[in-house]
């Protein structure tokens, strides 16, 4: 297992569509691609969509397949997981997806104000004992607010009752604009536009596991600025 991880860590260092900035670079504000993602990496002016805590990058890869006129950046700290999505994207020749290996805590160090159009949070850790570590806590939302364009959308897709209830409470408490919310996504799917339905039918490995166990999938989307 250790050798397999080392192999994956080594392989992603060779990939042009994966970045692994050091903590020192980050904290010293030496991120020279901040504000320059489209011109430096994607070579276009298409919208930028982030998947935060991407795991194996399944959702971001699925979105990149469906929407070649949008740019996707999948973010996670686990290099062995990122390798799987990065390798899949490489094998398929997808040129509109990038992988960034870092902690979500630093996300506003990597993107300029108004640089990001949408953020996806797919099956994030509900952090039952650390509410401030939840990716929809005010701590993280304030970071997203810095980099999202005005009206930029945040999507949450989860199996966790705890995380979903907490998110709804955050939306109400801080006056975020909820666009859609459902405790039973697939039961309420027909209420959404066809394009949204196609996006939300993309399933990660974890979603497949959760639905097989009988978990109900929750989804909400909202804006914060």
């Amino acid at each position: 297992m250790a050798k397999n991880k080392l192999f994956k860590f080594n392989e992603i260092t060779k990939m042009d569509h994966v970045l692994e900035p050091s903590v020192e670079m980050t904290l010293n504000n030496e991120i020279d691609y901040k504000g320059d993602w489209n011109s430096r990496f994607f070579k276009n002016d298409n919208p930028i969509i982030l998947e935060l805590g991407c795991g194996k990058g399944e959702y971001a890869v699925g979105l990149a397949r469906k929407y070649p006129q949008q740019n996707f950046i999948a973010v996670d700290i686990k290099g062995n997981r990122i390798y799987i999505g990065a390798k899949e994207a490489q094998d398929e020749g997808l040129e509109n997806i990038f992988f960034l290996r870092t902690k979500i805590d630093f996300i506003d160090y990597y993107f300029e104000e108004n640089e990001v159009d949408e953020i996806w949070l797919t099956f994030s850790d509900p952090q039952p004992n650390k509410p401030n570590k939840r990716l929809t806590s005010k701590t993280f939302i304030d970071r997203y607010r810095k980099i999202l364009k005005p009206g930029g959308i945040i999507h949450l897709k989860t199996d966790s009752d705890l995380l979903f209830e907490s998110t709804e409470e955050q939306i109400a408490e801080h006056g975020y604009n909820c666009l859609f919310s459902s405790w039973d996504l697939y039961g309420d799917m027909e209420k959404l536009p066809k394009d949204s339905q196609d996006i939300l039918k993309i399933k990660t490995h974890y979603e497949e596991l959760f639905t097989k166990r009988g978990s109900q999938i929750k989804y909400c989307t909202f804006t914060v600025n």
Side-chain angles (χ1 to χ4, degrees), residues 5-90:
K5 279 190 175 183
L6 288 173
F7 168 78
K8 291 176 180 178
F9 292 152
N10 183 57
E11 285 299 296
I12 61 176
T13 64
K14 305 173 187 176
M15 294 178 173
D16 293 336
H17 61 305
V18 180
L19 279 176
E20 299 181 273
S22 69
V23 173
E24 291 76 16
M25 283 180 58
T26 302
L27 296 179
N28 291 329
N29 286 304
E30 298 174 8
I31 309 302
D32 60 356
Y33 44 85
K34 181 177 181 178
D36 203 25
W37 283 90
N38 271 348
S39 60
R40 180 166 176 177
F41 296 112
F42 296 112
K43 313 299 182 186
N44 59 50
D45 294 321
N46 293 338
I48 292 177
I49 294 93
L50 308 184
E51 184 190 5
L52 304 182
C54 69
K56 299 174 185 177
E58 296 147 299
Y59 218 87
V61 171
L63 288 168
R65 289 191 192 108
K66 282 182 175 288
Y67 301 100
Q69 298 308 312
Q70 296 179 3
N71 298 329
F72 299 91
I73 301 174
V75 185
D76 205 287
I77 192 59
K78 299 290 183 68
N80 58 317
R81 292 180 183 174
I82 279 181
Y83 165 81
I84 295 170
K87 181 68 164 59
E88 189 172 3
Q90 179 177 273

Side-chain angles (χ1 to χ4, degrees), residues 2 22 24 27 31 36-37 41 54 57 71 87-88 99 101 104 119 146 149 152 178-179 197 200 208-209 211 221 223:
S22 69
E24 291 76 16
L27 296 179
I31 309 302
D36 203 25
W37 283 90
F41 296 112
C54 69
N71 298 329
K87 181 68 164 59
E88 189 172 3
F99 292 82
R101 186 184 177 198
I104 309 305
I119 290 173
K146 294 178 185 177
K149 293 179 179 178
C178 184
L179 305 174
Q197 292 182 38
L200 289 164
E208 296 282 4
L209 289 178
T211 52
T221 181
T223 62

Side-chain angles (χ1 to χ4, degrees), residues 59 123 157-158 180 182-192 196-204 207-208 210-211 215-219:
Y59 218 87
F123 300 92
K157 194 178 184 187
T158 182
F180 182 84
S182 173
W183 280 75
D184 180 10
L185 171 60
Y186 292 104
D188 290 335
M189 188 72 79
E190 294 301 320
K191 297 178 183 177
L192 291 163
S196 295
Q197 292 182 38
D198 290 343
I199 293 172
L200 289 164
K201 286 175 182 175
I202 298 171
K203 292 187 178 182
T204 67
E207 181 174 352
E208 296 282 4
F210 296 144
T211 52
S215 298
Q216 205 163 61
I217 304 303
K218 278 70 73 174
Y219 168 74

Side-chain angles (χ1 to χ4, degrees), residues 163-179:
L163 178 57
F164 198 72
E165 183 175 19
S166 170
T167 301
E168 288 195 324
E169 289 171 354
Q170 292 288 303
I171 290 171
E173 180 179 349
H174 301 294
Y176 307 145
N177 179 29
C178 184
L179 305 174

